[in-house]
Amino acid sequence: MGIFSKFFGKFFGGIFRGVVGVLDFITKYFKALVFVFIVLLILGASSEPAQIPNLAKIHLKGAILDANSVRTQIEEIKKYPSIKGVLLVIDSPGGAVGASVEIADLIKELNAKLPVVAHVQGTMASGAYYAGAYAHKIYANRGSLVGSIGVIFAGGNIEELLGKIGYKPTVLKAGEYKEIGTAFRAWSEKEREFLQNLINEEYDTFVSDMIEARGLKKEDSTKFAEGKIFSAKSALELGLIDALGSQNDAIEELKTLSKVKELRWLEKNKIDSFLDNLIESSASLFVGVIFGTLGGFSLR
């Protein structure tokens, strides 16, 4: 009991101190942030780009939780008939199945109208690979990681832990499988079998879609799938990507496919750029404060 009290005390104490740190930062710099925002609001009153764009970038970064960000970027691109090609910049470990499939469909639809060249900055794994596989061509940084074609469902059993702290959950349900995946008890064999069948079905869809997108062979699925993560070099040999190269190499390929000579990128207006940077900086600060506070913690 004493061990768990110390653990939860330090854990929640660290989170509380992290939140206080973030709030303190906001309080100190709130006026400055408001002033900068007002200035940008005035300067960026017009959302029209300074020059007519002929290329655009879509960014897919971090865990994939939904498709809203990519959808918004694509809708913005569609406003400019002058855009002839798109660079899809990827650095993501994957995420939710539904969101990854939706992004894949969006990229597939866009690539049918405009050439889409993907570039892997760091990681294009699992759902992120699904999302970008329908690009016309995929370039990867030679130090990047690609693949992890697989599906996972993870859970835990905290029944014993809850018993030690004197908590016993009460659950009401209608439907034999409504409580499937619960962490309050061990799963029954019927529940395990049901979940495994569901995962197998999702996996088969994943593999078959990648075979279609990349022109791979079904008999080779044990080589390129099975949840394996590959170096960029191995991914190239397996046909998961088209070339090793920098983002500049991917841009040159995009210029060729879109028949563009002079690069004119679609740029975000000043307000959107400011808000994106503010959100990213705030998130980094929050994570840094939290994990900086908890970094030295260990349960002995």
Side-chain angles (χ1 to χ4, degrees):
M1 183 71 174
I3 293 177
F4 290 108
S5 297
K6 289 180 180 179
F7 173 81
F8 287 115
K10 289 186 177 182
F11 180 76
F12 289 110
I15 291 179
F16 177 76
R17 288 190 293 273
V19 172
V20 170
V22 173
L23 293 176
D24 183 57
F25 172 83
I26 294 174
T27 302
K28 287 181 179 179
Y29 299 102
F30 179 75
K31 291 182 179 179
L33 292 174
V34 171
F35 174 76
V36 172
F37 179 76
I38 292 174
V39 171
L40 289 175
L41 186 64
I42 295 172
L43 295 177
S46 173
S47 61
E48 292 299 317
Q51 58 182 1
I52 298 176
N54 55 19
L55 295 176
K57 292 181 181 179
I58 294 175
H59 294 274
L60 179 60
K61 294 188 175 183
I64 299 173
L65 302 179
D66 58 55
N68 293 338
S69 175
V70 172
R71 180 181 295 278
T72 299
Q73 293 177 75
I74 291 177
E75 290 302 319
E76 183 66 19
I77 290 170
K78 289 180 178 179
K79 294 178 182 179
Y80 299 92
S82 58
I83 292 177
K84 305 300 181 184
V86 175
L87 180 69
L88 175 61
V89 183
I90 301 175
D91 190 2
S92 168
V97 174
S100 300
V101 172
E102 186 172 354
I103 293 174
D105 289 343
L106 289 170
I107 297 300
K108 182 180 181 180
E109 178 185 343
L110 181 63
N111 189 56
K113 300 176 181 177
L114 301 171
V116 177
V117 174
H119 180 257
V120 187
Q121 282 189 328
T123 304
M124 183 185 184
S126 196
Y129 187 80
Y130 207 142
Y134 285 99
H136 188 84
K137 284 197 174 181
I138 302 174
Y139 278 68
N141 177 319
R142 65 180 182 275
S144 62
L145 297 174
V146 179
S148 190
I149 297 175
V151 181
I152 186 171
F153 181 92
N157 183 357
I158 61 172
E159 183 177 11
E160 186 176 342
L161 172 63
L162 295 179
K164 290 183 177 180
I165 62 176
Y167 178 81
K168 188 173 182 179
T170 300
V171 178
L172 299 176
K173 65 178 181 180
E176 182 180 358
Y177 294 96
K178 190 60 180 176
E179 198 187 3
I180 198 167
T182 181
F184 293 151
R185 57 169 174 77
W187 302 343
S188 69
E189 285 304 314
K190 289 181 67 176
E191 289 173 329
R192 285 180 176 275
E193 182 181 1
F194 183 92
L195 285 173
Q196 188 61 60
N197 288 336
L198 177 61
I199 292 170
N200 291 343
E201 184 179 352
E202 296 281 3
Y203 175 73
D204 290 341
T205 300
F206 194 168
V207 172
S208 62
D209 281 356
M210 296 306 94
I211 289 172
E212 175 196 354
R214 296 294 306 167
L216 302 171
K217 296 179 180 179
K218 186 175 182 180
E219 57 266 29
D220 291 335
S221 63
T222 55
K223 298 178 182 178
F224 66 77
E226 300 289 346
K228 298 174 183 176
I229 188 76
F230 303 102
S231 66
K233 180 181 177 182
S234 295
L236 177 62
E237 294 171 353
L238 290 166
L240 295 177
I241 63 174
D242 297 291
L244 302 178
S246 66
Q247 188 170 131
N248 287 339
D249 294 325
I251 291 172
E252 288 301 315
E253 178 66 25
L254 181 61
K255 286 172 61 178
T256 300
L257 292 172
S258 58
K259 299 179 182 179
V260 165
K261 294 182 179 180
E262 181 183 351
L263 297 177
R264 295 193 302 272
W265 293 103
L266 174 63
E267 297 180 356
K268 293 182 180 180
N269 62 51
K270 295 181 177 65
I271 296 175
D272 287 341
S273 296
F274 170 75
L275 291 175
D276 286 347
N277 291 333
L278 177 61
I279 292 171
E280 185 175 344
S281 299
S282 299
S284 298
L285 173 67
F286 183 79
V287 172
V289 171
I290 293 290
F291 287 95
T293 304
L294 297 176
F297 172 77
S298 62
L299 185 62
R300 298 182 183 275

